Coordinates of all heavy atoms in Angstrom, one line a residue:
S1 N -228.4 -24.5 25.7 CA -228.7 -23.1 26.1 C -229.7 -22.5 25.1 O -229.6 -22.7 23.9 CB -227.4 -22.3 26.2 OG -226.5 -22.7 27.2
L2 N -230.6 -21.7 25.7 CA -231.6 -21.0 24.9 C -231.2 -19.6 24.7 O -230.9 -18.9 25.7 CB -233.0 -21.2 25.5 CG -234.1 -20.4 24.8 CD1 -234.5 -21.1 23.5 CD2 -235.4 -20.4 25.8
T3 N -231.1 -19.1 23.5 CA -230.8 -17.7 23.3 C -232.1 -16.8 23.2 O -233.0 -17.1 22.3 CB -230.0 -17.5 22.0 OG1 -228.7 -18.2 22.2 CG2 -229.6 -16.0 21.8
I4 N -232.1 -15.8 24.0 CA -233.2 -14.8 23.9 C -232.7 -13.6 23.2 O -231.9 -12.8 23.8 CB -233.8 -14.5 25.3 CG1 -234.1 -15.8 26.0 CG2 -235.0 -13.6 25.2 CD1 -234.3 -15.6 27.5
P5 N -233.1 -13.3 22.0 CA -232.6 -12.0 21.3 C -232.9 -10.8 22.1 O -234.0 -10.7 22.7 CB -233.3 -12.1 20.0 CG -233.7 -13.5 19.8 CD -234.0 -14.0 21.2
K6 N -232.0 -9.9 22.2 CA -232.2 -8.6 22.9 C -233.4 -7.9 22.3 O -233.7 -8.0 21.1 CB -231.0 -7.7 22.8 CG -230.6 -7.2 21.4 CD -229.4 -6.3 21.5 CE -229.0 -5.9 20.1 NZ -227.8 -5.0 20.1
G7 N -234.1 -7.2 23.1 CA -235.3 -6.5 22.6 C -236.5 -7.3 22.4 O -237.5 -6.9 21.9
T8 N -236.5 -8.6 22.9 CA -237.6 -9.5 22.6 C -238.1 -10.2 23.9 O -237.4 -10.1 25.0 CB -237.3 -10.6 21.6 OG1 -236.3 -11.5 22.2 CG2 -236.7 -10.1 20.3
V9 N -239.2 -10.8 23.8 CA -239.8 -11.6 25.0 C -240.0 -13.0 24.5 O -240.7 -13.2 23.4 CB -241.1 -11.0 25.5 CG1 -241.7 -11.9 26.6 CG2 -240.9 -9.6 26.0
K10 N -239.4 -14.0 25.1 CA -239.6 -15.4 24.8 C -240.6 -16.0 25.7 O -240.5 -15.9 27.0 CB -238.3 -16.1 24.9 CG -238.3 -17.6 24.7 CD -238.7 -18.0 23.3 CE -237.5 -17.8 22.3 NZ -237.8 -18.3 21.0
T11 N -241.6 -16.8 25.1 CA -242.6 -17.4 26.0 C -242.4 -18.9 25.9 O -242.3 -19.5 24.8 CB -244.0 -17.1 25.5 OG1 -244.2 -15.7 25.6 CG2 -245.1 -17.8 26.3
L12 N -242.2 -19.6 27.0 CA -242.1 -21.0 27.1 C -243.3 -21.6 27.8 O -243.8 -21.1 28.8 CB -240.8 -21.3 27.9 CG -239.5 -20.7 27.4 CD1 -238.3 -21.2 28.4 CD2 -239.2 -21.2 26.0
A13 N -243.8 -22.7 27.3 CA -244.9 -23.4 27.9 C -244.4 -24.5 28.9 O -243.4 -25.2 28.6 CB -245.7 -24.1 26.8
V14 N -245.1 -24.6 30.0 CA -244.8 -25.6 31.0 C -245.8 -26.7 30.8 O -247.0 -26.5 31.0 CB -244.9 -25.1 32.4 CG1 -244.6 -26.2 33.4 CG2 -244.0 -23.9 32.6
K15 N -245.4 -27.9 30.3 CA -246.3 -29.0 30.1 C -245.9 -30.2 30.9 O -244.8 -30.5 31.1 CB -246.2 -29.4 28.6 CG -246.7 -28.4 27.6 CD -246.7 -28.9 26.2 CE -247.1 -27.8 25.2 NZ -247.2 -28.4 23.8
C16 N -247.0 -30.8 31.5 CA -246.8 -32.0 32.4 C -247.9 -33.0 32.1 O -248.9 -32.7 31.5 CB -246.9 -31.6 33.9 SG -245.6 -30.5 34.4
N17 N -247.6 -34.2 32.6 CA -248.6 -35.3 32.6 C -249.2 -35.3 34.0 O -248.5 -35.0 35.0 CB -248.0 -36.7 32.3 CG -247.3 -36.7 31.0 OD1 -247.7 -36.0 30.0 ND2 -246.2 -37.5 30.9
L18 N -250.5 -35.7 34.1 CA -251.2 -35.7 35.4 C -251.7 -37.2 35.6 O -252.3 -37.8 34.7 CB -252.3 -34.7 35.3 CG -253.1 -34.5 36.7 CD1 -252.2 -33.9 37.7 CD2 -254.3 -33.6 36.4
G19 N -251.4 -37.7 36.8 CA -251.8 -39.1 37.1 C -253.3 -39.2 37.1 O -254.1 -38.3 37.4
T20 N -253.8 -40.5 36.9 CA -255.2 -40.7 36.8 C -255.9 -40.6 38.2 O -257.1 -40.4 38.3 CB -255.5 -42.2 36.3 OG1 -254.8 -43.1 37.2 CG2 -255.0 -42.3 34.9
G21 N -255.1 -40.6 39.3 CA -255.7 -40.5 40.6 C -255.7 -39.1 41.2 O -256.1 -38.9 42.3
A22 N -255.3 -38.1 40.4 CA -255.2 -36.7 40.8 C -256.6 -36.1 41.1 O -257.6 -36.5 40.4 CB -254.4 -35.9 39.8
S23 N -256.7 -35.2 42.0 CA -257.9 -34.5 42.3 C -257.6 -33.1 42.8 O -256.4 -32.8 43.1 CB -258.8 -35.3 43.2 OG -258.1 -35.4 44.5
G24 N -258.6 -32.3 43.0 CA -258.3 -31.0 43.6 C -257.9 -29.9 42.5 O -258.5 -30.0 41.4
S25 N -257.0 -29.1 42.8 CA -256.6 -28.0 41.9 C -255.1 -27.6 42.1 O -254.6 -27.8 43.2 CB -257.5 -26.8 42.0 OG -257.5 -26.3 43.3
A26 N -254.5 -27.1 41.1 CA -253.1 -26.7 41.2 C -252.8 -25.6 40.2 O -253.6 -25.3 39.3 CB -252.2 -28.0 40.9
R27 N -251.6 -25.0 40.4 CA -251.1 -24.0 39.4 C -249.6 -24.0 39.5 O -248.9 -24.4 40.5 CB -251.7 -22.7 39.7 CG -251.4 -22.1 41.1 CD -252.1 -20.8 41.3 NE -251.8 -20.3 42.7 CZ -252.2 -19.0 43.1 NH1 -252.8 -18.3 42.3 NH2 -251.9 -18.6 44.3
F28 N -249.0 -23.5 38.4 CA -247.5 -23.3 38.3 C -247.3 -21.8 38.1 O -248.2 -21.1 37.8 CB -247.0 -24.1 37.1 CG -246.9 -25.6 37.3 CD1 -248.0 -26.4 37.0 CD2 -245.7 -26.1 37.8 CE1 -247.9 -27.8 37.2 CE2 -245.6 -27.5 38.0 CZ -246.7 -28.3 37.7
G29 N -246.0 -21.4 38.3 CA -245.7 -20.0 38.1 C -244.2 -19.7 38.4 O -243.3 -20.6 38.4
V30 N -244.0 -18.4 38.7 CA -242.7 -17.9 39.0 C -242.6 -17.3 40.4 O -243.5 -16.5 40.8 CB -242.3 -16.8 37.9 CG1 -241.0 -16.1 38.3 CG2 -242.3 -17.3 36.5
N31 N -241.7 -17.8 41.1 CA -241.5 -17.4 42.5 C -240.1 -17.6 43.0 O -239.7 -18.6 43.6 CB -242.5 -18.1 43.5 CG -242.5 -17.6 44.8 OD1 -241.7 -16.8 45.3 ND2 -243.6 -17.9 45.6
G32 N -239.2 -16.6 42.6 CA -237.8 -16.7 43.0 C -237.1 -17.8 42.2 O -237.5 -18.1 41.0
G33 N -236.0 -18.3 42.7 CA -235.3 -19.3 42.1 C -234.1 -18.7 41.3 O -233.9 -17.5 41.2
T34 N -233.1 -19.6 40.9 CA -231.9 -19.2 40.2 C -232.0 -19.4 38.8 O -232.3 -20.5 38.3 CB -230.7 -19.9 40.8 OG1 -230.6 -19.6 42.2 CG2 -229.4 -19.5 40.2
Y35 N -231.7 -18.4 38.0 CA -231.7 -18.5 36.5 C -230.3 -18.4 36.1 O -229.6 -17.4 36.3 CB -232.5 -17.3 35.9 CG -234.0 -17.4 36.2 CD1 -234.5 -17.0 37.4 CD2 -234.9 -17.9 35.3 CE1 -235.8 -17.1 37.7 CE2 -236.2 -18.0 35.6 CZ -236.7 -17.6 36.8 OH -238.0 -17.7 37.1

């Protein structure tokens, strides 16, 4: 579990590997889901 101290903002980086055959464009983000 990750603790986020009250009164603060925690920033997490989303890092992935990308296959050699990939092309086009993409993006990640926040859209609903259960926390």
